[in-house]
Amino acid sequence: RIMRPDDANIAGNVHGGTILKMIEEAGAIISTRHCNSQAGEPCVAALARVERTDFLSPMCIGEVANVSAEITYTSRHSVEVQVNVMSENILTGAKKVTNKATLWYVPLSLKNVNKVLEVPPIQYARKEQEDEGKKRYEEQKLDRLETKQRNGDVILPVINPEPHTVGYSQSSLIHLVGPSDCTLLGFVHGGVTMKLMDEVAGIVAARHCKTNIVTASVDAINFHEKIKKGCVITVSGRMTFTSNKSMEIEVFVDADPFVDESRERYRAVSAFFTYVSLSKEGKPLPVPQLLTETEDEKRRFEEGKGRYLQTKAKRQAQMQQAAQQ
Amino acid sequence: RIMRPDDANIAGNVHGGTILKMIEEAGAIISTRHCNSQAGEPCVAALARVERTDFLSPMCIGEVANVSAEITYTSRHSVEVQVNVMSENILTGAKKVTNKATLWYVPLSLKNVNKVLEVPPIQYARKEQEDEGKKRYEEQKLDRLETKQRNGDVILPVINPEPHTVGYSQSSLIHLVGPSDCTLLGFVHGGVTMKLMDEVAGIVAARHCKTNIVTASVDAINFHEKIKKGCVITVSGRMTFTSNKSMEIEVFVDADPFVDESRERYRAVSAFFTYVSLSKEGKPLPVPQLLTETEDEKRRFEEGKGRYLQTKAKRQAQMQQAAQQ
Amino acid sequence: RIMRPDDANIAGNVHGGTILKMIEEAGAIISTRHCNSQAGEPCVAALARVERTDFLSPMCIGEVANVSAEITYTSRHSVEVQVNVMSENILTGAKKVTNKATLWYVPLSLKNVNKVLEVPPIQYARKEQEDEGKKRYEEQKLDRLETKQRNGDVILPVINPEPHTVGYSQSSLIHLVGPSDCTLLGFVHGGVTMKLMDEVAGIVAARHCKTNIVTASVDAINFHEKIKKGCVITVSGRMTFTSNKSMEIEVFVDADPFVDESRERYRAVSAFFTYVSLSKEGKPLPVPQLLTETEDEKRRFEEGKGRYLQTKAKRQAQMQQAAQQ
């Protein structure tokens, strides 16, 4: 579809969140279709996890986004979907890969939303494809378990913060979940959640560096708990780390089923977003360093640095590998 | 994309206007891409006309709409696009053709919006395809000229109308044209206009028969004049004819460039929409007869009857032809 | 236009904010048209104030909202517009008055947004109409000045609040101002701001009483400062007073032009919203009493009580007057 002014920031760059939402919709369609392809209980595929995603090149207003999706692995209860996004300038014909994402879905019964159904297996062209898929499946399963445990943090407000401190840029928004945000089962689409997360992270980044910012990458996102129609969700973001030219922002999503007395507010999702600051010509700008004050902030800065160096090393290894081929 | 609650009426049937908007977006993308496929002035394809369209089967919330488009004819300054819409129930895998539409676009220069550019010619597999396309091109050109002339009517309000009269159900809405309604050139997308037209026609039909109604078909729509960002558009509808099971509604679109002193309010588009009334089980219901009072209303009723009988005869001829093959 | 699922809460009642947004759009159109009706500099009417508004009966999904607007007074630099909203159930034909609102607009030059233009005077049928309008004009002018002065309060966060305290239900959201939120001048539509205010106030009310709530009335709202495209706006709400069956919520709007270094964050709007809690059958429910803790909270509670009693007295006087006629 054509990118509209509402999909973009004032500099004309399409929000990463808009792209994440399109990716998730494509993933939900293909995996729901697959899981219903054999006779049996009807089901809806629910997003369980999105693997780390890089935004390779910015998309602009007026360009057309082409989204394609393919199922690449099935375990007994989950589906791995690979989604590619290309931006096409229909005036010049130029096409660019904008985004590649891997998503995991789980089929939930339409009749009983707490029942996870079995996934029809796919055929693999080669045995190695199945083995590699299985390896990816095991890895993500482990990572999901891990993040579930360290999911208890809360963002506390700060009064009169200094510029470039963590408290200065931290932000949160609330959103009342409406019918158009939800699947047939009455739960929020993963893509809607990701769009709100990107919105908050973008505001944190812009408050920190006061320039035009764009999403550079999103770390793996795990969806631990479903969010029901009628909930209020609070999406909060705080900066955790800055390198010379990038900012890492941690985002939390908390759901408050306030009309349902029996449930407490709970943490539904958390993730790290990385942003870069761009000049008017679209070149990366240096980013003011994050000033850490408390012990926790210093610890999170070091952890962010670890993730940053690890990603950098991985990318260099890939480039060397590519150069040798 | 997946159909959401906001795309549909309370009975869960997707608005004809939502489908028209998707059709037009697909047509605009493929024709803009084609018109820019040769080196030359960059341009944007503007909708000039939509041929008569039948809604073959209703689409429901939760179904996925698959839209495909193909260029079928090019004249020197215009492109004919054929768009097909399939609805897919991803739970059952069932697919149905919902809609086939033919649209005409004209390439306007990005630098000078009043300049119509030349269209790169397409290759035809067979000579007959070109001849048939040329015939369609001449026919629509004639029809556009004709409708341009009789475009002067105005809908006046009626005080305390009787049920089932024309005045009783006539309706109008106003809409302030915002940035997301517009193309790169700053003019309203044809699809946005058609969606508003369907909304008004649907209110007229529902007021008349007070049941669940769905769009059955849309007569050819000609876009005589562009509508600019910042205009207020008034969309008005009145019932012109009822058969036993259908209602014909005439819809006018007037644009009021109210901050631009130099221009008067003008008629931008007009068209006929046909609706049917459905029971809770989705079966067509009888429609109360339209009570005509003035001479003009009686004349319009007879003209509507003429269109109705003509369409019916055409459809019967097609079915006989199909039966003989 | 037809009310859609996204316009309403889960109980099907249309959000007061949706109605306020429609009212403001109608007011902006009629006053912009009027201010451009004489030759001169083109201008856009900007909302300066909305008088106190009562929501007389709730509107539901599937109903059609009819909005009509009329200019009732003009001063040298401002326009008073009276807007009426009727809800129509198009299946039964039943119509109800939902809302009456009075809005004040000021014409700003399209070329120079800081220049207030002169308003073409309207003709009055009777001299008394002009005199009454002038009285209303003087009154609102005085009230605007007053509220401008007491506009400095800030909502501070509370850690682990007890149920039914002020801190327990207070809420805030941030919103990045996009192109569709803005007028041709690049400033946020008053209606967009009011919709966000109603959203926050509704969440505060729902958190307090954990039931289905609807907007009962909105106190006069003054728009002190324009908010520009690209700003982040923070909308915060806290409960100030509860009677047996109603809740009063104070809402603040702060604009943060964060890419524009030269401007600090500033208070743009503030207002009081009143909500009632409804049972599933639509009957008013008793509301848990607000627990006030600090001196400020107790003072605000008393002030709210004053406003409540004043409104009640005014309404009783009107009813007596009506009964005597």
Side-chain angles (χ1 to χ4, degrees):
Chain A
R1 72 177 185 78
I2 303 179
M3 294 295 110
R4 291 177 301 228
D6 272 12
D7 299 319
N9 62 22
I10 9 177
N13 300 123
V14 171
H15 295 297
T18 302
I19 298 171
L20 289 171
K21 196 169 171 230
M22 285 190 299
I23 286 174
E24 201 275 321
E25 185 163 337
I29 290 174
I30 196 173
S31 52
T32 300
R33 184 190 285 153
H34 177 75
C35 294
N36 285 287
S37 63
Q38 288 187 354
E41 248 177 284
C43 62
V44 170
L47 182 64
R49 175 178 164 95
V50 182
E51 299 292 345
R52 184 191 159 78
T53 306
D54 289 303
F55 290 79
L56 306 170
S57 61
M59 203 182 281
C60 296
I61 297 176
E63 292 187 339
V64 172
N66 292 299
V67 183
S68 59
E70 188 193 0
I71 295 181
T72 43
Y73 180 75
T74 52
S75 75
R76 195 168 164 203
H77 289 300
S78 66
V79 182
E80 186 198 50
V81 183
Q82 176 79 37
V83 183
N84 293 314
V85 185
M86 304 263 292
S87 70
E88 178 189 359
N89 182 326
I90 48 175
L91 304 185
T92 65
K95 286 184 190 183
K96 282 179 301 183
V97 173
T98 305
N99 219 279
K100 290 182 182 193
T102 306
L103 301 94
W104 293 88
Y105 287 87
V106 168
L108 302 179
S109 163
L110 248 187
K111 288 172 206 152
N112 173 4
V113 75
N114 295 314
K115 188 173 164 194
V116 178
L117 299 181
E118 292 206 6
V119 173
I122 59 165
Q123 301 298 326
Y124 301 92
R126 287 172 299 115
K127 180 73 173 65
E128 298 87 64
Q129 290 181 341
E130 183 167 5
D131 295 343
E132 284 162 19
K134 188 160 191 178
K135 206 175 130 202
R136 291 193 301 272
Y137 169 73
E138 299 295 349
E139 277 172 9
Q140 63 90 21
K141 205 171 161 183
L142 206 70
D143 188 71
R144 292 189 64 192
L145 270 176
E146 265 175 35
T147 53
K148 200 164 186 176
Q149 282 153 3
R150 60 167 159 85
N151 227 346
D153 218 344
V154 169
I155 293 187
L156 293 179
V158 175
I159 319 295
N160 293 326
E162 289 295 306
H164 305 138
T165 59
V166 174
Y168 182 73
S169 58
Q170 70 182 28
S171 305
S172 72
L173 65 79
I174 51 176
H175 175 74
L176 183 60
V177 175
S180 283
D181 299 330
C182 292
T183 65
L184 281 180
L185 286 170
F187 294 102
V188 177
H189 279 293
V192 170
T193 311
M194 290 194 286
K195 191 163 188 281
L196 291 170
M197 293 170 85
D198 179 68
E199 196 175 328
V200 166
I203 291 173
V204 173
R207 279 185 165 156
H208 181 78
C209 64
K210 297 182 183 302
T211 54
N212 178 34
I213 50 87
V214 294
T215 318
S217 67
V218 183
D219 229 56
I221 309 180
N222 295 307
F223 292 81
H224 300 296
E225 292 235 31
K226 297 184 289 290
I227 304 170
K228 211 175 169 178
K229 186 157 73 185
C231 279
V232 168
I233 53 184
T234 305
V235 186
S236 324
R238 68 175 165 212
M239 197 162 287
T240 43
F241 168 74
T242 51
S243 72
N244 288 340
K245 298 206 172 163
S246 72
M247 298 160 274
E248 188 196 58
I249 294 116
E250 186 171 20
V251 183
F252 302 108
V253 180
D254 295 306
D256 185 355
F258 60 84
V259 281
D260 176 1
E261 293 272 359
S262 63
R263 282 220 61 179
E264 289 284 295
R265 179 175 164 144
Y266 59 92
R267 174 71 35 96
V269 197
S270 65
F272 293 100
F273 283 69
T274 301
Y275 280 76
V276 291
S277 163
L278 293 184
S279 70
K280 276 176 191 162
E281 295 74 36
K283 298 262 171 267
L285 291 175
V287 164
Q289 207 193 325
L290 181 67
L291 303 180
T292 51
E293 296 171 311
T294 69
E295 280 312 303
D296 276 349
E297 287 174 10
K298 288 182 209 302
R299 180 182 48 75
R300 285 197 297 265
F301 191 92
E302 287 309 313
E303 288 170 3
K305 197 173 188 171
R307 283 184 293 270
Y308 169 74
L309 293 173
Q310 213 181 341
T311 307
K312 206 173 164 181
K314 214 181 266 178
R315 200 175 300 159
Q316 282 175 342
Q318 283 172 347
M319 280 169 69
Q320 280 181 1
Q321 213 179 358
Q324 284 167 0
Q325 280 173 351
Chain B
R1 74 175 184 79
I2 303 180
M3 293 296 110
R4 291 176 302 226
D6 268 18
D7 298 320
N9 61 23
I10 5 177
N13 301 124
V14 171
H15 294 297
T18 302
I19 299 172
L20 289 171
K21 197 169 171 229
M22 286 189 300
I23 286 174
E24 202 276 322
E25 184 161 339
I29 290 173
I30 196 173
S31 51
T32 300
R33 185 190 286 152
H34 177 76
C35 294
N36 286 288
S37 62
Q38 288 187 354
E41 247 178 286
C43 62
V44 170
L47 182 64
R49 176 178 163 96
V50 182
E51 299 291 346
R52 185 190 157 78
T53 306
D54 289 302
F55 290 79
L56 305 170
S57 61
M59 203 183 280
C60 295
I61 298 175
E63 292 188 338
V64 172
N66 291 300
V67 183
S68 58
E70 189 194 357
I71 295 181
T72 43
Y73 180 76
T74 51
S75 75
R76 196 166 164 204
H77 289 300
S78 66
V79 181
E80 186 198 49
V81 183
Q82 176 79 35
V83 183
N84 294 313
V85 185
M86 304 263 292
S87 70
E88 178 189 356
N89 183 325
I90 49 176
L91 303 186
T92 65
K95 287 185 190 183
K96 281 178 302 183
V97 173
T98 305
N99 220 278
K100 290 182 180 192
T102 306
L103 302 93
W104 293 89
Y105 286 87
V106 169
L108 304 178
S109 163
L110 249 188
K111 288 172 205 151
N112 172 4
V113 76
N114 295 313
K115 186 172 164 195
V116 178
L117 300 181
E118 293 206 6
V119 173
I122 59 164
Q123 302 297 324
Y124 302 92
R126 288 172 298 117
K127 179 73 171 66
E128 296 88 63
Q129 290 181 341
E130 184 167 4
D131 295 343
E132 284 162 19
K134 188 160 192 178
K135 209 177 127 202
R136 292 193 301 273
Y137 169 71
E138 299 295 348
E139 277 171 8
Q140 63 90 23
K141 205 171 164 183
L142 206 68
D143 188 71
R144 292 189 64 192
L145 271 177
E146 266 174 34
T147 54
K148 202 164 186 175
Q149 283 153 3
R150 60 170 159 85
N151 227 346
D153 219 343
V154 170
I155 293 186
L156 294 178
V158 175
I159 318 295
N160 293 326
E162 290 293 307
H164 306 138
T165 58
V166 174
Y168 183 73
S169 58
Q170 70 182 27
S171 306
S172 71
L173 66 78
I174 52 176
H175 175 76
L176 184 60
V177 176
S180 280
D181 299 328
C182 293
T183 65
L184 281 180
L185 287 168
F187 293 103
V188 177
H189 280 291
V192 170
T193 311
M194 289 194 285
K195 192 164 187 283
L196 291 170
M197 292 170 86
D198 179 67
E199 194 173 331
V200 166
I203 291 174
V204 173
R207 278 183 166 157
H208 181 78
C209 64
K210 300 184 181 306
T211 53
N212 178 34
I213 51 85
V214 294
T215 317
S217 67
V218 183
D219 228 57
I221 310 181
N222 295 307
F223 292 82
H224 300 296
E225 292 234 31
K226 298 186 289 287
I227 304 170
K228 211 175 169 178
K229 186 158 74 184
C231 279
V232 169
I233 53 183
T234 305
V235 186
S236 324
R238 69 175 164 209
M239 196 162 289
T240 43
F241 167 73
T242 51
S243 71
N244 287 341
K245 297 205 171 161
S246 72
M247 297 161 275
E248 188 197 59
I249 294 116
E250 186 171 18
V251 184
F252 302 108
V253 180
D254 295 305
D256 184 355
F258 61 172
V259 283
D260 177 1
E261 293 272 353
S262 63
R263 282 223 57 181
E264 289 284 296
R265 177 174 165 146
Y266 59 92
R267 173 69 37 94
V269 197
S270 64
F272 292 100
F273 283 69
T274 300
Y275 280 76
V276 290
S277 163
L278 292 185
S279 70
K280 277 176 189 161
E281 295 74 36
K283 298 263 171 266
L285 290 175
V287 164
Q289 207 194 326
L290 181 66
L291 301 180
T292 51
E293 296 171 311
T294 68
E295 282 311 304
D296 276 349
E297 288 174 12
K298 287 182 209 302
R299 181 181 48 73
R300 286 197 298 264
F301 191 92
E302 288 307 314
E303 289 170 3
K305 197 173 187 173
R307 284 184 293 270
Y308 170 74
L309 293 173
Q310 214 181 339
T311 307
K312 205 173 164 182
K314 216 180 263 176
R315 201 176 299 158
Q316 281 174 343
Q318 283 171 348
M319 280 169 69
Q320 280 181 2
Q321 215 179 356
Q324 284 168 0
Q325 281 172 352
Chain C
R1 74 175 184 79
I2 301 182
M3 294 296 110
R4 291 178 300 226
D6 273 14
D7 298 322
N9 61 22
I10 9 177
N13 299 124
V14 171
H15 295 298
T18 302
I19 298 171
L20 289 171
K21 197 169 170 232
M22 286 189 300
I23 287 174
E24 201 276 321
E25 185 164 335
I29 289 173
I30 196 174
S31 51
T32 300
R33 186 186 285 151
H34 177 75
C35 295
N36 285 287
S37 62
Q38 288 185 355
E41 247 177 286
C43 62
V44 170
L47 182 64
R49 176 178 164 96
V50 182
E51 298 292 345
R52 184 191 159 78
T53 306
D54 289 302
F55 289 79
L56 306 170
S57 61
M59 204 182 282
C60 296
I61 298 175
E63 293 187 339
V64 172
N66 290 299
V67 183
S68 59
E70 190 193 359
I71 294 181
T72 43
Y73 180 76
T74 51
S75 76
R76 195 167 165 206
H77 289 300
S78 66
V79 182
E80 185 198 49
V81 182
Q82 176 79 37
V83 182
N84 293 314
V85 185
M86 304 263 291
S87 70
E88 178 189 358
N89 182 325
I90 46 176
L91 301 186
T92 65
K95 287 185 189 183
K96 283 178 301 182
V97 173
T98 306
N99 221 278
K100 291 182 181 193
T102 306
L103 302 94
W104 293 89
Y105 287 87
V106 169
L108 304 178
S109 163
L110 250 187
K111 288 172 207 152
N112 172 5
V113 75
N114 296 313
K115 187 172 164 195
V116 178
L117 299 181
E118 293 206 6
V119 173
I122 59 165
Q123 302 297 325
Y124 301 92
R126 287 171 301 117
K127 180 73 171 66
E128 298 88 63
Q129 290 180 342
E130 185 168 3
D131 296 343
E132 285 161 20
K134 188 160 193 180
K135 208 177 130 204
R136 291 192 302 272
Y137 169 73
E138 300 294 349
E139 277 172 7
Q140 62 90 22
K141 204 170 163 184
L142 206 68
D143 187 71
R144 292 189 65 194
L145 271 176
E146 267 174 35
T147 53
K148 199 164 187 175
Q149 282 152 5
R150 60 170 158 86
N151 228 346
D153 219 342
V154 169
I155 293 187
L156 293 179
V158 176
I159 319 294
N160 293 326
E162 290 294 305
H164 305 137
T165 59
V166 175
Y168 182 73
S169 58
Q170 71 182 25
S171 305
S172 73
L173 66 78
I174 51 176
H175 174 76
L176 183 60
V177 175
S180 283
D181 300 329
C182 293
T183 65
L184 280 180
L185 287 169
F187 293 102
V188 178
H189 281 292
V192 170
T193 310
M194 290 195 285
K195 191 163 187 283
L196 290 170
M197 293 170 86
D198 179 67
E199 196 175 327
V200 165
I203 290 173
V204 173
R207 279 185 165 154
H208 182 77
C209 64
K210 296 182 183 304
T211 53
N212 178 34
I213 51 86
V214 295
T215 317
S217 67
V218 183
D219 230 57
I221 309 180
N222 295 307
F223 292 81
H224 299 297
E225 291 234 31
K226 296 185 290 289
I227 304 170
K228 211 175 169 178
K229 187 157 72 185
C231 278
V232 169
I233 52 183
T234 305
V235 186
S236 325
R238 68 175 164 211
M239 197 163 287
T240 43
F241 168 73
T242 50
S243 72
N244 287 340
K245 298 208 172 162
S246 72
M247 298 161 274
E248 189 196 59
I249 294 118
E250 185 170 20
V251 184
F252 301 108
V253 181
D254 294 305
D256 184 355
F258 59 86
V259 283
D260 177 1
E261 293 272 359
S262 64
R263 282 221 59 178
E264 288 284 296
R265 179 175 164 143
Y266 59 91
R267 174 70 36 95
V269 197
S270 64
F272 293 100
F273 284 69
T274 300
Y275 280 76
V276 291
S277 163
L278 293 185
S279 69
K280 277 175 189 162
E281 295 74 37
K283 298 263 170 266
L285 290 175
V287 164
Q289 208 193 325
L290 182 67
L291 303 180
T292 51
E293 296 171 312
T294 68
E295 280 313 303
D296 276 349
E297 287 174 10
K298 288 182 209 301
R299 181 183 47 74
R300 286 198 299 264
F301 192 93
E302 287 309 313
E303 289 169 2
K305 197 173 187 171
R307 283 185 294 269
Y308 169 75
L309 293 173
Q310 213 180 341
T311 308
K312 206 172 163 181
K314 214 181 266 178
R315 200 175 300 159
Q316 283 174 342
Q318 283 172 347
M319 280 168 69
Q320 280 180 1
Q321 214 179 358
Q324 284 167 1
Q325 281 172 352

